Amino acid sequence: MNSKSQNRKQCKMGIDPAQGSTYRERLPDIIDDILSGSTNDTNFNHIGEEPIPSTEAVIDIIARFREVLFPGYFSRERIDAVNLKYSMGRCISVLYNLLAEQICLSFRHNCFRYHKDCVDCNELGLKIALSIIQSIPDLQMMLAHDVRAAYDGDPAAKSYDEIVFSYPGLFAIRVYRIAHLLYVNDVPFIPRIMAEHAHSITGIDIHPGAKIGTHFFIDHGTGVVIGETTVIGDRVRIYQGVTLGALSLPADAGERMRDRVKRHPTIEDNVIIYSGATILGGDTVIGANSIIGGNVWITKSIPPDTKVILETPKLVYK
């Protein structure tokens, strides 16, 4: 048997235990090095008794909101007139308990971890969770307007059902509208966890602090970025690759400007922004009824009823 055939035979047998143990014997020292790095003051860790919210639970909350906001579309069972009230009651009860627990954990985490004053996190969690559950009818109406905006703005949409089931823009907007309610109630962590979950699935990055009006439509969506202090009016439509961002900031701006300064643009009613457009700056206002063409770069305000486009590039054929 030649050496190549012998090697193939040995590969089929798997790792030789004696050979494997030679390498495994080095693991305890490596583990000690990892533990040393995990517990020093330079690196970040969350080792201790402080409570911490659960990413998995927050993702579960998002899924349960979907069932409530669009009854029958995403339920685990068929919903009809007979079982609707029972199904809705069960979903709301579970959702309320999960939401209250995670809100409580978020506030409690900040109290323990950062030595903040007690805010009675149990009471606060229950109160905010109830307030958000009470907002569900308003959320349903907002999302219904968003679905209709998608249908009116996209000739490829064959039905409202198709939009509800499959449009990534609607998914990102739905998660944003839930996260925004938590954000305005000063709930730590959870709004950003929600936003980043939607971002990871759709490629659409909407900060929960942004203020977005009704009939909002994101077509295609990949690469869209909407910053924290962005203000968007009603009946706005944007396409993939659009950035509503901040101008370049000095090195110390993170701490100095946090929670104090409007850094992102304002988009007024009935504006269309085509793919690849970049609009930057807290003082930048895109006036109502304007159209922003693809791939433009804007850092100054645009008056209402304005069309902004690049000059047609000259193609060179060789």
Side-chain angles (χ1 to χ4, degrees), residues 197-241:
H197 175 66
H199 183 195
S200 69
I201 291 175
T202 65
I204 299 169
D205 184 0
I206 308 177
H207 194 286
K211 298 176 181 178
I212 300 176
T214 67
H215 299 81
F216 183 50
F217 176 39
I218 301 175
D219 199 357
H220 304 296
T222 305
V224 166
V225 177
I226 300 175
E228 178 183 21
T229 61
T230 302
V231 177
I232 298 176
D234 297 335
R235 298 173 298 280
V236 170
R237 187 196 325 166
I238 65 177
Y239 288 80
Q240 69 274 13

Side-chain angles (χ1 to χ4, degrees), residues 133-162:
I133 296 296
Q134 287 175 324
S135 299
I136 285 176
D138 293 333
L139 276 174
Q140 288 177 313
M141 184 60 69
M142 290 282 284
L143 290 167
H145 291 323
D146 296 331
V147 171
R148 292 187 179 92
Y151 186 80
D152 293 341
D154 185 8
K158 300 301 186 289
S159 67
Y160 294 129
D161 292 340
E162 182 179 76

Side-chain angles (χ1 to χ4, degrees), residues 44-106:
F44 294 95
N45 66 75
H46 204 290
I47 301 168
E49 298 180 356
E50 298 98 338
I52 188 169
S54 164
T55 298
E56 290 76 14
V58 172
I59 293 172
D60 186 25
I61 287 169
I62 291 172
R64 292 180 184 278
F65 260 111
R66 183 175 67 171
E67 289 188 44
V68 171
L69 291 168
F70 295 103
Y73 280 95
F74 304 102
S75 302
R76 295 169 177 82
E77 59 188 12
R78 184 173 179 177
I79 304 299
D80 56 28
V82 175
N83 65 357
L84 174 59
K85 186 172 183 178
Y86 166 77
S87 177
M88 184 65 73
R90 183 180 60 185
C91 285
I92 290 293
S93 179
V94 173
L95 175 59
Y96 174 72
N97 290 337
L98 283 172
L99 190 60
E101 179 183 28
Q102 292 305 309
I103 293 172
C104 174
L105 285 173
S106 296

